[in-house]
Amino acid sequence: MPVDIAFLAIAEAQQLYHWLPAALELARRPDVRVSMLSPSDQLLALAGSYDPEGRLTRLRLRRPPSGPDSLFRQPSRLATLLLNHRTIARFPTVVTTEISSAWLRHMPGFSSRMIHIKHGAGDREGGYKKRHRDFDLTLVGGEKDQRRLIARGLGTVEDIRIGGYAKFELRAPRQRFFADDKPVLLYNPHFDPDLSSWIKHGPEILATLEALTDWNVIIAPHTKLARRVPPIVSSAPHIRIDMGSRHSIDMSYTNSADLYIGDVSSQVYEFLLTPRPCVFLNLERRHWQGIENFNHWRLGQVIERADGLPQALARANDLQAGFLAAQEAAMHQSIDLSPIPASRRQADLILHFAKGAA
């Protein structure tokens, strides 16, 4: 009998890149049947674009009435789970990248074993929630997340395993987004209302970026922030604004930029797959040294005024050598870059668990 494994896709498109490589790897293996469960035609189509051979069985779940369907807007996760929990329960092993699915544990008769692939590799405390402990197995990108989850009582070394960062296998190549050869900076603000540099300081940041005519600028906020704030608009010819597209989630921008500007987004670690200069905006002037939630701020300059950005950019290349060792060490702790592809490592862990649970 084949081993049945379901990948539950009820989150927005940015999470798909974290589970799809493992799903495709499992689907290539003999005696394994892999299904993608999603209420979204858009997400099913996006997964299909990476699966030309049609190895995945794509199952459209019921949608809540009037629920949105775009890459970055999906219906209520709880409502989707309520409508579909019996369908999901038919699969003995369910894999997901969001933690809302832990709610299924409260449904009578639900006995599927659940695996969580933690998406992202950032430092923010919001990445560690009590619902993590409701999963039977959690796969993380590197030692940092394993250590931090265990320290918070959210699992043990036996059920929190390091599988690497499979999104790198789907990353888009470096691209030209501008007609000239000026250096490119990426500004990537996070959605956390307490930590985002954009929410309280957007106008002054935009004015500063518009004045940087020696640079090309990509403004690509986290897609959750893009849904919560008015559209960012600029007529400056050296600025490209992306409020949500495949480019904003497939590493097109992190691979194509020469310098990263941000606050607390985990995308900094995707950018640092190739070490390059970073500048972090501490415009609230918060105390951050020695606080692990801001460990990534050790990997570049930290500035406390938006109008200090031109000076930071002017010295970024000269200072980069001084940050290189810290960047490489942080990447080593955050993402295990084994020569064995992460998709294969994750697939091995999932299949071993699924066979053991059968």
Side-chain angles (χ1 to χ4, degrees):
M1 292 289 291
V3 178
D4 270 313
I5 301 172
F7 284 76
L8 181 59
I10 62 172
E12 294 72 30
Q14 65 271 15
Q15 294 195 24
L16 176 143
Y17 289 84
H18 293 276
W19 62 259
L20 184 56
L24 293 173
E25 169 65 23
L26 283 165
R28 296 184 189 101
R29 299 188 178 189
D31 298 322
V32 181
R33 189 161 50 205
V34 181
S35 300
M36 172 186 178
L37 315 182
S38 180
S40 168
D41 293 323
Q42 295 291 321
L43 292 181
L44 291 167
L46 178 60
S49 71
Y50 291 97
D51 181 26
E53 297 175 337
R55 295 180 182 273
L56 300 179
T57 299
R58 287 177 279 159
L59 177 61
R60 166 74 142 69
L61 298 177
R62 295 168 62 194
R63 297 179 59 77
S66 303
D69 185 11
S70 71
L71 291 181
F72 305 109
R73 291 197 67 202
Q74 287 298 308
S76 159
R77 295 179 190 178
L78 180 57
T80 300
L81 294 170
L82 275 168
L83 280 174
N84 295 282
H85 65 90
R86 290 186 179 87
T87 298
I88 300 168
R90 297 206 309 259
F91 295 87
T93 302
V94 177
V95 186
T96 184
T97 51
E98 39 69 38
I99 57 176
S100 302
S101 296
W103 177 86
L104 291 166
R105 296 291 197 199
H106 301 289
M107 294 304 299
F110 186 86
S111 60
S112 303
R113 303 297 295 275
M114 298 190 70
I115 299 174
H116 180 246
I117 298 178
K118 194 173 185 301
H119 68 279
D123 300 313
R124 192 174 59 98
E125 187 61 33
Y128 308 94
K129 301 283 183 64
K130 290 181 179 179
R131 278 177 290 181
H132 279 106
R133 73 162 64 99
D134 292 330
F135 290 86
D136 300 291
L137 177 68
T138 296
L139 304 185
V140 297
E143 180 273 334
K144 177 182 71 181
D145 276 339
Q146 184 186 55
R147 170 174 46 80
R148 292 184 72 176
L149 285 165
I150 292 172
R152 287 156 178 74
L154 302 177
T156 68
V157 70
E158 286 78 26
D159 54 40
I160 300 176
R161 305 293 297 276
I162 297 171
Y165 205 79
K167 180 179 178 178
F168 288 157
E169 297 168 37
L170 297 181
R171 66 185 184 274
R174 184 177 178 92
Q175 299 164 59
R176 287 178 62 96
F177 290 103
F178 301 92
D180 57 48
D181 293 322
K182 290 186 294 187
V184 177
L185 70 81
L186 169 63
Y187 172 47
N188 172 228
H190 197 262
F191 65 86
D192 189 316
D194 296 323
L195 300 172
S196 173
S197 54
W198 179 262
I199 291 176
K200 293 182 180 179
H201 304 279
E204 62 181 304
I205 294 171
L206 182 59
T208 300
L209 295 174
E210 288 179 326
L212 295 174
T213 55
D214 290 336
W215 287 79
N216 287 318
V217 176
I218 298 171
I219 301 176
H222 191 289
T223 56
K224 286 187 177 181
L225 177 64
R227 296 203 313 267
R228 298 174 185 179
V229 300
I232 302 171
V233 178
S234 174
S235 60
H238 65 287
I239 290 184
R240 174 189 177 96
I241 298 171
D242 189 334
M243 299 297 283
S245 74
R246 282 179 69 162
H247 286 313
S248 69
I249 57 175
D250 67 3
M251 295 185 59
S252 291
Y253 296 144
T254 50
N255 275 345
S256 301
D258 301 294
L259 183 142
Y260 179 93
I261 300 174
D263 36 55
V264 295
S265 174
S266 66
Q267 283 194 45
V268 66
Y269 288 106
E270 297 178 6
F271 177 81
L272 289 174
L273 179 60
T274 302
R276 286 160 287 172
C278 299
V279 177
F280 301 102
L281 303 181
N282 182 20
L283 305 187
E284 293 296 299
R285 302 184 181 183
R286 64 181 81 243
H287 173 70
W288 62 272
Q289 290 92 340
I291 299 174
E292 64 179 351
N293 299 340
F294 297 96
N295 275 350
H296 55 289
W297 283 10
R298 298 180 296 105
L299 311 182
Q301 300 176 75
V302 179
I303 62 173
E304 297 183 346
R305 293 171 55 95
D307 61 11
L309 186 56
Q311 292 77 21
L313 297 179
R315 58 180 178 259
N317 284 332
D318 290 338
L319 295 178
Q320 172 60 13
F323 291 113
L324 181 59
Q327 289 179 352
E328 291 175 339
M331 282 294 290
H332 179 74
Q333 293 176 18
S334 300
I335 297 174
D336 191 320
L337 295 173
S338 166
I340 302 172
S343 59
R344 192 189 312 168
R345 298 164 65 196
Q346 291 177 351
D348 287 345
L349 290 165
I350 292 168
L351 188 56
H352 178 78
F353 176 85
K355 288 181 174 179

